[in-house]
Amino acid sequence: MTYCVGILLDDGLVLAADSRTNAGVDQIALTRKLTFFDRDGDRMIGLMSSGNLATTQAVVTQLQQDCDGCDGPTMMSVKTLFDAAQLVGDTLRKVLARDASYVQPYGDPNASFILGGQIAGETHRLFEIYAAGNFVEASDDTPFLQIGETKYGKPILVRMIRHDTNLVDACKCAVLSMDATIRSNLSVAPPIDLLCYRKDSLMPETYRRIEADDDYLISLREGYSAGLGELFRDLPQPPWLAP
Amino acid sequence: MTYCVGILLDDGLVLAADSRTNAGVDQIALTRKLTFFDRDGDRMIGLMSSGNLATTQAVVTQLQQDCDGCDGPTMMSVKTLFDAAQLVGDTLRKVLARDASYVQPYGDPNASFILGGQIAGETHRLFEIYAAGNFVEASDDTPFLQIGETKYGKPILVRMIRHDTNLVDACKCAVLSMDATIRSNLSVAPPIDLLCYRKDSLMPETYRRIEADDDYLISLREGYSAGLGELFRDLPQPPWLAP
């Protein structure tokens, strides 16, 4: 399994992905789930993937390979992020058309993606591409999108993220959301790949690989745990219970 | 969908269930998912259900009807909670054997249960009965069990519940876990049925139906939201990000 979250803010974007890939509990490995397509001053695109690893690797590798010269549109030539989302969806459909029937006897061949970034000439945008190859776009009302093991990390996002949240708080929230998932589910694990993108910069502001022993991750986790314990103790007791 | 949680503590048990039942988004109703089998001084058993409503109602009604006189064991005659769990599993299997093949063309006929309580002569216990009719028991190491829409409400339980948590804190935590789920998922909704059972009392200590406008629910939710916001702001900023 996997957990990836993308956050669309007035000030920019935050993308975060864990690194665990597994088939059952025996076959566990690390893999990078966040890939960049970027050229300073022209485009900064991040693509995160969840699902069958052979499928997601085939899609990402095909998209990368096509950038080195092909007749059709590529991630480095498309003019809008909408077109980039369509290209990811089309590539996913091609991979599934080739592989799905062979893979199904062994497991689920499907995959999904979060695509975020900015191309010169338009604003920064965030999309989720479904296994069917169709997609939805984030908005002020729906400022975050998740794929993979999404539920454990949702409550903190629901409470803290609005479109006008600043980038620093959104990074903090993304790490907390990831940590809640890591604590609850074995199939999600560090390192956490985190991209912070400031709008109109057209270059990665901060890209950080946060390892399990990262000082900031540990201080955030411990501060949150201790603070939550304190908050919990201070909350009112049920008045209808004898103490 | 549904969300039910059972917590096994040194001091007793907490059972909590939401009340929403739905088939799609059109057909929404309220239903009680927590049923008691109790006789003061002899037994106090709570049964919570999740899954296909026709299946769960058939199982619960059959269990109740059998208490009014049948040859085999009943929820009011079994000597241990282990036997009660087996009886629930057997009854579920009988219902599914009769209905499942007819229901499958329309949807999932399956159901699962949480059974908790105490029968005179043994200690208080907590079980989860799977759709297959088999079951597991909670222990000091695994002090809570969940069925239905379990993931949103798990992080707060993971952080706050241990076997030596007191009953009052466990009730508070159960309500918070329920509220996190209600906020994140449309298919889970109040009223919340909550049972607090003190071990060896062999009678319900507190049974409470918490409505959406309940003063305590609102004060807990608001206190938690405000406190979480404050905690979030006080947590350290990522040192590798410009402020």
Side-chain angles (χ1 to χ4, degrees):
Chain A
M1 206 49 174
T2 289
Y3 175 43
C4 302
V5 55
I7 306 175
L8 179 73
L9 305 157
D10 298 346
D11 292 348
L13 280 161
V14 174
L15 303 182
D18 86 307
S19 300
R20 176 153 293 175
T21 176
N22 70 305
V25 290
D26 277 342
Q27 216 174 324
I28 290 179
L30 293 182
T31 190
R32 225 186 112 162
K33 299 170 190 174
L34 170 57
T35 308
F36 296 131
F37 298 89
D38 60 318
R39 186 159 52 214
D40 283 1
D42 172 55
R43 70 192 56 212
M44 172 62 225
I45 301 174
L47 180 64
M48 300 190 291
S49 54
S50 168
N52 184 296
L53 183 60
T55 302
T56 60
Q57 283 190 348
V59 170
V60 171
T61 307
Q62 189 69 56
L63 288 169
Q64 286 172 323
Q65 198 170 289
D66 288 349
C67 290
D68 295 334
C70 82
D71 293 338
T74 74
M75 294 296 279
M76 296 304 286
S77 74
V78 288
K79 296 273 183 279
T80 68
L81 215 69
F82 177 88
D83 290 345
Q86 210 153 47
L87 185 58
V88 174
D90 287 347
T91 308
L92 174 59
R93 286 174 184 169
K94 276 181 212 155
V95 168
L96 288 176
R98 191 179 57 226
D99 291 346
S101 64
Y102 296 93
V103 177
Q104 260 140 5
Y106 305 96
D108 187 351
N110 285 325
S112 57
F113 296 86
I114 288 176
L115 177 78
Q118 186 171 13
I119 296 176
E122 62 168 17
T123 190
H124 57 302
R125 304 169 78 176
L126 181 69
F127 293 88
E128 176 177 346
I129 296 113
Y130 298 121
N134 58 342
F135 50 85
V136 291
E137 183 168 4
S139 66
D140 282 2
D141 294 326
T142 310
F144 65 85
L145 298 171
Q146 305 168 283
I147 54 174
E149 189 59 67
T150 62
K151 295 185 180 184
Y152 303 112
K154 189 176 174 189
I156 184 84
L157 296 167
V158 169
R159 286 181 194 277
M160 296 303 157
I161 297 295
R162 301 186 337 174
H163 63 89
D164 57 358
T165 302
N166 68 54
L167 276 173
V168 173
D169 280 349
C171 283
K172 202 158 77 170
C173 192
V175 177
L176 284 173
S177 173
M178 195 59 75
D179 195 48
T181 311
I182 290 167
R183 284 181 75 108
S184 292
N185 191 294
L186 261 187
S187 74
V188 177
I192 302 166
D193 280 319
L194 190 132
L195 170 76
C196 179
Y197 173 75
R198 192 170 300 275
K199 74 165 174 179
D200 300 335
S201 67
L202 294 169
M203 55 185 289
E205 167 142 323
T206 303
Y207 165 66
R208 177 104 186 164
R209 170 154 269 219
I210 304 170
E211 303 283 346
D213 63 353
D214 181 275
D215 286 342
Y216 177 65
L217 178 62
I218 291 170
S219 76
L220 196 66
R221 176 186 294 157
E222 288 177 353
Y224 189 67
S225 256
L228 211 58
E230 218 167 289
L231 165 58
F232 183 78
R233 277 191 301 278
D234 293 346
L235 285 173
Q237 308 276 16
W240 24 264
L241 272 185
Chain B
M1 207 51 174
T2 289
Y3 174 43
C4 302
V5 55
I7 306 175
L8 179 74
L9 305 157
D10 298 346
D11 292 349
L13 280 161
V14 175
L15 304 182
D18 87 307
S19 300
R20 177 154 291 177
T21 175
N22 71 305
V25 289
D26 279 341
Q27 216 174 323
I28 290 179
L30 292 181
T31 190
R32 224 186 114 162
K33 300 170 189 173
L34 171 57
T35 307
F36 296 131
F37 298 88
D38 59 317
R39 185 160 52 214
D40 284 1
D42 171 57
R43 68 193 58 212
M44 172 62 225
I45 302 174
L47 180 64
M48 300 190 290
S49 54
S50 168
N52 185 296
L53 183 60
T55 302
T56 59
Q57 282 190 349
V59 171
V60 171
T61 307
Q62 188 69 57
L63 288 168
Q64 287 171 322
Q65 198 170 288
D66 288 350
C67 289
D68 294 333
C70 81
D71 293 339
T74 74
M75 293 296 279
M76 296 304 287
S77 74
V78 289
K79 296 271 181 281
T80 68
L81 216 69
F82 177 87
D83 290 344
Q86 209 153 48
L87 185 58
V88 173
D90 287 347
T91 308
L92 173 60
R93 286 175 182 167
K94 275 180 212 155
V95 168
L96 289 176
R98 189 179 57 225
D99 290 346
S101 63
Y102 296 92
V103 178
Q104 261 141 3
Y106 305 95
D108 187 351
N110 285 325
S112 57
F113 296 86
I114 287 176
L115 177 78
Q118 186 171 13
I119 296 175
E122 63 169 17
T123 190
H124 57 301
R125 304 169 77 175
L126 181 69
F127 292 88
E128 175 177 347
I129 296 115
Y130 299 121
N134 59 341
F135 51 85
V136 291
E137 182 168 6
S139 67
D140 281 3
D141 294 326
T142 310
F144 64 86
L145 298 171
Q146 304 168 283
I147 53 174
E149 189 59 69
T150 61
K151 296 186 179 183
Y152 303 112
K154 188 175 174 189
I156 184 84
L157 296 167
V158 169
R159 286 181 194 278
M160 296 303 157
I161 296 294
R162 301 187 336 174
H163 64 88
D164 57 359
T165 302
N166 68 55
L167 276 174
V168 174
D169 280 349
C171 284
K172 201 157 78 170
C173 192
V175 176
L176 284 173
S177 173
M178 196 58 76
D179 195 48
T181 311
I182 289 168
R183 285 182 74 109
S184 292
N185 192 294
L186 263 186
S187 75
V188 177
I192 302 165
D193 280 319
L194 190 130
L195 171 77
C196 179
Y197 172 76
R198 192 170 300 275
K199 73 165 174 180
D200 299 335
S201 67
L202 294 169
M203 55 186 290
E205 167 140 323
T206 303
Y207 165 67
R208 178 104 185 162
R209 170 154 269 218
I210 304 171
E211 303 284 345
D213 62 353
D214 180 275
D215 287 343
Y216 177 64
L217 178 62
I218 292 171
S219 76
L220 196 66
R221 177 187 292 157
E222 288 177 353
Y224 189 65
S225 258
L228 211 57
E230 217 167 289
L231 165 58
F232 183 78
R233 278 191 300 279
D234 293 345
L235 286 173
Q237 307 277 16
W240 25 264
L241 271 186

